[in-house]
Amino acid sequence: TCPHKGPAIYWVLDHQDYLDNHLLLYIGETIAADRRWKGEHDCKGYLAAYCESISNAGFTTNLSIRFWTDVPKKTRERRNLEQSLIRKWLPPFNKETRSRWKTPFI
């Protein structure tokens, strides 16, 4: 769990042993980092299907969520920052990139 209780931008990453870098799967923002993944979230379904697909292919996942807490306190400013990061890195599980990646695992 995340020890930080305030606003954050977060990244969902995977690391495969055969890669030098992490795979960026999702970027999000939250007002309460410690509670963000406790409720409903579309990305949870994608991650479950992703893990199953990776496992079926004979690989393992090493998922992690990284929180950046030095972000704007105001929701609108934080969401603007989140959107600029999504546009820059085009993570496949964000709805904003579906025109590029389609809807994975459905």
Side-chain angles (χ1 to χ4, degrees), residues 12 25-26 36-37 39-54 63 92-94 98 103-106:
V12 178
L25 302 175
Y26 184 84
R36 182 62 189 111
W37 284 88
E40 292 293 316
H41 199 296
D42 288 345
C43 190
K44 285 182 179 180
Y46 289 149
L47 288 174
Y50 169 79
C51 290
E52 182 179 349
S53 295
I54 293 292
L63 296 177
F93 294 174
N94 282 90
R98 286 185 187 152
T103 304
F105 308 112
I106 291 182

Side-chain angles (χ1 to χ4, degrees), residues 10 36 102:
Y10 59 94
R36 182 62 189 111
K102 305 303 176 209

Side-chain angles (χ1 to χ4, degrees), residues 2-13:
C2 179
H4 184 72
K5 296 180 191 246
I9 296 283
Y10 59 94
W11 291 264
V12 178
L13 307 162

